[in-house]
Amino acid sequence: MAPKRPQAPQPPGNTGAPRDRSGGSALEHAGNGVKFLGVSVLSGLLLAGLALPAVGAIGLTAKDTAESFDSVSDDFKTPPLTQATQIFDAKGGLIAKVYERDRTVIPADQMSPFMRYAQVDIEDARFYEHGAVDLKGILRAVSKNAESGTTSQGASTLTQQYVKNVNVEKAGDDQAAVLEAQRKTLGRKIQELKVAIKLEEELSKDQILTNYLNITFYGHQAYGVEAASQRYFSKSNKDLTVAEAATLAGMVQNPSSFDPVRYPENTVKRRNVVIDKMLENKHITPDQAKEAKAAPLGLKYKDPQNGCITAKAGMGFFCDYVRHVVKQDPAFGKSADERKKVWNTGGLNIYTTLDPDKQTAAQNAVTSKVNVTDQVSAAATMMEPGTGKILAMAQTRPYGLDPNKNQTVVNLNVDAAMGGGNGFQTGSTFKPILAAAALESGMSNTQSFPSENKIEYPQMSTCSGTWKNTDRPKVTVKNEQENEVGPYQLKEAMARSINTYFVQMEQQVGLCAMKQMANKLGITQSAKGDAFQEVPSMVLGTLELSPLTMANVYATFAARGKYCTPVAINKITTVDGKDIAVPQAQCSQAFSDQTADSLNAVLLNVTEKGTAAALTMDDGRKIAGKTGTTDEKKAAWFNGYTPSLATAVWLGGPAGGVKMKNINIGGKHFDDVFGATGPGPIWALAMNQALKGTPLEPIQTASIPDPQPVTPPGATTAPADPNAAQPPAGNPPPPQQPQQGGTTGLPGGLPGGLPGGFTFPPGIGGPGNGNGNGRHGGNGNG
């Protein structure tokens, strides 16, 4: 029987007749019998089969009744049962099992014969002998209830119970609909009975039993016999013994009272009743019955493992991202409700793009370089260039709901709409986007700009007009060190991360061209969902973006300008082997091969002779990338790539606002954190492990001549050429003796102090919280 629910006490009969000690007068006994008839399925049978005109009094019309007899909904013949969905990595390893209801639908031949016998014998022993209604059972129940003065004896057949369970299942998580499906009214009984009658005309008894065994609740979040077998005995249903099958069958009447975990003694007693019924109906021999009753309960219980919180190796955030994809991508339904139904119904095997080896590499890097208890956190996304495939998604703080353990369910790698935060300013890692726009517009890869140490933001064209520096005093931008004075060419300016150079490039190219290039690279809004404004500080990384977005930008650089939308799913099949269409990467050429090769040369120079020269690969392979540090060191980035793998690493306060100055991170003290010193080593560790043993790949570049040394005004000697070979420095750089001209060394041999930044006059722009609160930004350090 279906699980019993508390019933409201029935008011005593008011016949006026004296009561006797047996529980009432003969008239009351007769009243109980009549009362039972009024609510029993017999009433439904009489009304539905013999007295159709009467149904109007209980809210049903003759038309409704006639139509319901003409056909029965497919939902009852093949109910869309909610099942568990399994999410796998790219190599077939299980990431997590997620479900609204833990259920695995199995066919009859995968069920234990003992299970089928036991459930019928204890619930409806005459199931194969009667139709949808068991008249003999009804009369027996009437007699029992009349004798006891109650209505505790039911007469629902297994088919009727199945129909009721389908109605509850169809209600899903709509509590009002669930209560409606469970209402014990005459109208509800008649509706269920009519469906049961028609169902028995269209399905065999074996089919109805199979459906029943797949839908029924067995306690502890287990729906259906397969999930129940795995939950309590850690085995498939087809392998159950007589005793184990009897245990499960006995639970259905009341999963709470006969819970084998909490009440093992009750469960054993109930199990033995089922075994006696199986023997009585000659489905087992006396020896089998004796052996089964003597057997211990023999539980091998496994707690329900549901949701992304159970994912291993830091894969919980990626698991949650997959959930958002299914619920938001139109490939899974035109409306949000349709997509939600796909996810909640489950029964899917989702094969993702996640590479378990690269995931391990990324997770190891963000957790070994940054402690979970640190003020700051790190996040890293890896992507395959030219395909859009997300290969890894890791962050320092674990996936979970306990803030006391520094857990979070906010995926710092992705946009807010996909379960992430509001993103982080990207600093100078945005500069290559402008460079791509400039090169694509025809600008020379040796373009020179005066690049004074400090300038006012100049007037610039936008897509809709002109941006003007109307603030008083006017907003300025400057390089980090006083001796950072041009002219510079692109290759050297990118290596040094010279802010004024890129602002002057921005003026010449125009804000619209840079915005359009950002759009081609997948940047159409901030991580929070806000449209970004065309302002000059955009090139210095004031727009708040996610690591996934930036990883895809650099994956496009690695793929020689081929941009692909991110994808997380390779394939989905249903439990019965049918394929479901999944979102495909939409690819386009964001810029030409010539632009790509020049950009590769420029970004390769950053890692060989620029701000990231201290970052090397163990096997000596070439890497290209860009450092970035925001105003007041509130966020730091290193985004880089090889031809086969692009990785973006962010480091900062999860909620922004943590100034990474005089700070301990991962047990190491930092006076100041830069892109090369904070996220850079995380990136190198992750990439070294991820690419270990893979073929070395050359980065295709254009030939860009090194600029000739220029003597700044007032200087007697030229500064050292950053493109000349220099021994790599430590990380962070050790103090060095002043060179000619009074400068000090940088990582990779750059003279002139630390990479660039820019400043505001008092009250202008302002540093904000490191997440873009200033009017014109506050970023751009290398």
Side-chain angles (χ1 to χ4, degrees):
M1 294 176 60
K4 291 185 177 179
R5 299 181 181 276
Q7 299 182 2
Q10 299 294 327
N14 186 17
T15 64
R19 296 181 177 274
D20 60 27
R21 293 189 179 185
S22 66
S25 67
L27 181 59
E28 284 182 293
H29 284 314
N32 284 327
V34 172
K35 179 180 178 182
F36 175 76
L37 286 174
V39 298
S40 72
V41 290
L42 179 58
S43 298
L45 174 65
L46 293 174
L47 289 170
L50 303 176
L52 293 179
V55 297
I58 53 173
L60 298 172
T61 68
K63 179 176 181 292
D64 292 333
T65 307
E67 287 179 351
S68 67
F69 269 94
D70 289 339
S71 64
V72 61
S73 168
D74 287 341
D75 285 350
F76 290 97
K77 291 184 283 187
T78 54
L81 301 178
T82 56
Q83 300 184 64
T85 284
Q86 297 185 99
I87 302 175
F88 300 94
D89 63 37
K91 293 187 176 181
L94 182 65
I95 294 175
K97 186 178 181 182
V98 297
Y99 50 81
E100 293 296 317
R101 290 182 176 176
D102 188 8
R103 176 190 285 118
T104 300
V105 174
I106 57 174
D109 61 8
Q110 292 298 306
M111 294 178 180
S112 165
F114 296 131
M115 185 75 239
R116 297 173 72 85
Y117 293 144
Q119 202 71 72
V120 169
D121 290 343
I122 193 62
E123 293 292 312
D124 186 359
R126 299 183 63 255
F127 173 66
Y128 283 95
E129 300 171 23
H130 59 65
V133 179
D134 182 7
L135 292 176
K136 186 181 291 186
I138 290 174
L139 294 175
R140 182 178 61 250
V142 169
S143 174
K144 292 285 187 182
N145 290 333
E147 290 175 5
S148 65
T150 69
T151 59
S152 61
Q153 183 75 33
S156 292
T157 64
L158 188 146
T159 304
Q160 290 171 263
Q161 293 175 44
Y162 165 68
V163 171
K164 183 174 183 177
N165 282 340
V166 172
N167 284 327
V168 173
E169 183 78 18
K170 287 167 64 178
D173 56 3
D174 185 337
Q175 290 303 309
V178 170
L179 292 174
E180 176 63 23
Q182 294 173 335
R183 280 201 311 145
K184 294 185 177 181
T185 63
L186 188 56
R188 173 63 58 190
K189 278 286 185 182
I190 293 173
Q191 288 174 329
E192 290 175 359
L193 178 59
K194 288 185 298 184
V195 173
I197 292 172
K198 190 65 180 177
L199 196 62
E200 292 231 357
E201 293 177 4
E202 300 191 18
L203 295 182
S204 70
K205 288 285 190 177
D206 282 343
Q207 287 174 311
I208 293 172
L209 176 59
T210 298
N211 286 357
Y212 178 83
L213 291 171
N214 276 318
I215 199 172
T216 301
F217 180 57
Y218 289 88
H220 286 269
Q221 300 183 35
Y223 289 81
V225 291
E226 179 64 16
S229 301
Q230 296 289 352
R231 176 77 73 251
Y232 298 108
F233 299 109
S234 298
K235 62 170 67 172
S236 296
N237 186 263
K238 62 183 176 61
D239 298 324
L240 293 185
T241 65
V242 172
E244 291 165 345
T247 298
L248 297 185
M251 293 175 62
V252 171
Q253 186 186 69
N254 193 324
S256 296
S257 296
F258 302 125
D259 179 345
V261 178
R262 298 179 60 193
Y263 307 115
E265 292 183 0
N266 286 357
T267 303
V268 169
K269 290 178 182 178
R270 176 67 174 171
R271 179 198 71 177
N272 292 344
V273 170
V274 177
I275 294 170
D276 287 339
K277 287 288 186 181
M278 295 175 73
L279 177 62
E280 178 184 329
N281 288 287
K282 299 181 179 180
H283 286 137
I284 57 175
T285 66
D287 287 343
Q288 286 176 310
K290 182 178 179 181
E291 180 182 356
K293 293 177 75 170
L297 193 53
L299 291 185
K300 292 184 179 178
Y301 178 79
K302 291 188 296 190
D303 282 321
Q305 296 293 308
N306 181 21
C308 295
I309 201 167
T310 65
K312 60 182 180 180
M315 297 180 183
F317 295 102
F318 180 81
C319 171
D320 189 67
Y321 180 78
V322 170
R323 178 176 68 89
H324 279 85
V325 170
V326 174
K327 287 192 170 185
Q328 295 186 38
D329 197 290
F332 299 104
K334 294 180 180 180
S335 68
D337 285 343
E338 288 177 3
R339 297 189 293 270
K340 181 181 178 182
K341 184 178 180 180
V342 169
W343 180 261
N344 290 349
T345 300
L348 306 175
N349 291 319
I350 301 178
Y351 300 93
T352 72
T353 60
L354 194 76
D355 184 313
D357 299 326
K358 291 179 175 57
Q359 174 66 29
T360 298
Q363 189 66 26
N364 176 60
V366 297
T367 54
S368 63
K369 293 290 186 180
V370 184
N371 295 333
V372 70
T373 54
D374 288 344
Q375 286 180 274
V376 297
S377 188
T381 296
M382 290 181 169
M383 297 192 71
E384 182 178 80
T387 67
K389 290 183 178 181
I390 303 169
L391 303 181
M393 193 177 280
Q395 68 186 59
T396 303
R397 299 191 179 181
Y399 187 86
L401 299 170
D402 190 349
N404 294 322
K405 296 180 180 179
N406 297 290
Q407 294 176 347
T408 180
V409 293
V410 177
N411 186 350
L412 300 177
N413 280 287
V414 302
D415 291 354
M418 300 300 289
N422 293 334
F424 310 95
Q425 293 183 343
T426 60
S428 293
T429 62
F430 201 93
K431 288 172 180 173
I433 297 174
L434 172 62
L439 292 167
E440 192 69 0
S441 71
M443 184 178 289
S444 169
N445 57 20
T446 59
Q447 175 69 44
S448 175
F449 288 106
S451 312
E452 300 90 344
N453 182 258
K454 180 180 179 180
I455 61 172
E456 295 177 350
Y457 276 109
Q459 179 174 300
M460 300 185 190
S461 65
T462 68
C463 293
S464 58
T466 303
W467 181 90
K468 297 180 180 180
N469 191 345
T470 58
D471 288 351
R472 294 293 181 270
K474 290 188 175 182
V475 183
T476 62
V477 56
K478 71 183 294 292
N479 301 323
E480 182 70 19
Q481 300 298 319
E482 294 297 327
N483 69 323
E484 290 180 337
V485 178
Y488 291 110
Q489 293 183 15
L490 174 58
K491 191 175 178 181
E492 182 181 3
M494 190 72 78
R496 292 173 176 267
S497 202
I498 301 297
N499 291 325
T500 58
Y501 177 92
F502 288 97
V503 169
Q504 290 169 343
M505 174 184 277
E506 190 178 33
Q507 181 190 27
Q508 180 164 321
V509 175
L511 294 174
C512 188
M514 181 171 63
K515 178 182 178 181
Q516 290 172 344
M517 179 56 69
N519 291 166
K520 290 180 180 180
L521 296 171
I523 303 173
T524 58
Q525 60 185 11
S526 73
K528 185 180 180 181
D530 297 333
F532 58 88
Q533 299 178 338
E534 295 174 69
V535 293
S537 61
M538 187 165 61
V539 72
L540 304 177
T542 54
L543 185 64
E544 296 156 318
L545 301 173
S546 67
L548 173 59
T549 297
M550 293 308 291
N552 206 18
V553 168
Y554 281 73
T556 306
F557 297 161
R560 301 185 73 207
K562 182 181 179 182
Y563 168 79
C564 297
T565 54
V567 290
I569 301 172
N570 282 327
K571 179 182 179 181
I572 296 181
T573 62
T574 61
V575 289
D576 55 0
K578 296 179 181 178
D579 288 335
I580 291 181
V582 300
Q584 301 296 314
Q586 302 300 310
C587 299
S588 59
Q589 197 67 28
F591 47 80
S592 67
D593 291 349
Q594 292 79 9
T595 292
D597 294 347
S598 290
L599 197 59
N600 280 342
V602 169
L603 295 177
L604 182 63
N605 193 55
V606 172
T607 63
E608 290 184 338
K609 302 173 183 178
T611 55
L615 305 179
T616 59
M617 300 294 287
D618 293 342
D619 54 14
R621 76 177 65 216
K622 299 289 187 179
I623 56 175
K626 184 69 184 78
T627 56
T629 312
T630 69
D631 186 55
E632 295 188 301
K633 313 299 186 293
K634 291 180 179 178
W637 294 74
F638 185 76
N639 304 332
Y641 57 91
T642 67
S644 63
L645 185 60
T647 300
V649 175
W650 159 88
L651 177 68
V658 177
K659 298 179 181 179
M660 291 186 291
K661 298 181 177 183
N662 191 28
I663 190 172
N664 290 324
I665 301 175
K668 179 179 178 180
H669 180 78
F670 291 81
D671 291 333
D672 291 281
V673 171
F674 293 93
T677 60
I682 298 172
W683 185 94
L685 179 61
M687 290 288 282
N688 271 312
Q689 184 176 343
L691 293 172
K692 186 176 182 180
T694 62
L696 301 185
E697 306 162 290
I699 296 177
Q700 189 162 337
T701 62
S703 177
I704 305 178
D706 290 338
Q708 295 299 313
V710 177
T711 302
T716 58
T717 59
D721 178 6
N723 293 301
Q726 297 282 347
N731 182 27
Q736 299 183 16
Q737 293 298 318
Q739 302 173 348
Q740 285 186 325
T743 61
T744 57
L746 267 179
L750 286 183
L754 291 170
F758 67 93
T759 59
F760 298 94
I764 300 294
N769 66 356
N771 283 313
N773 290 342
R775 282 183 292 166
H776 302 284
N779 303 15
N781 297 336

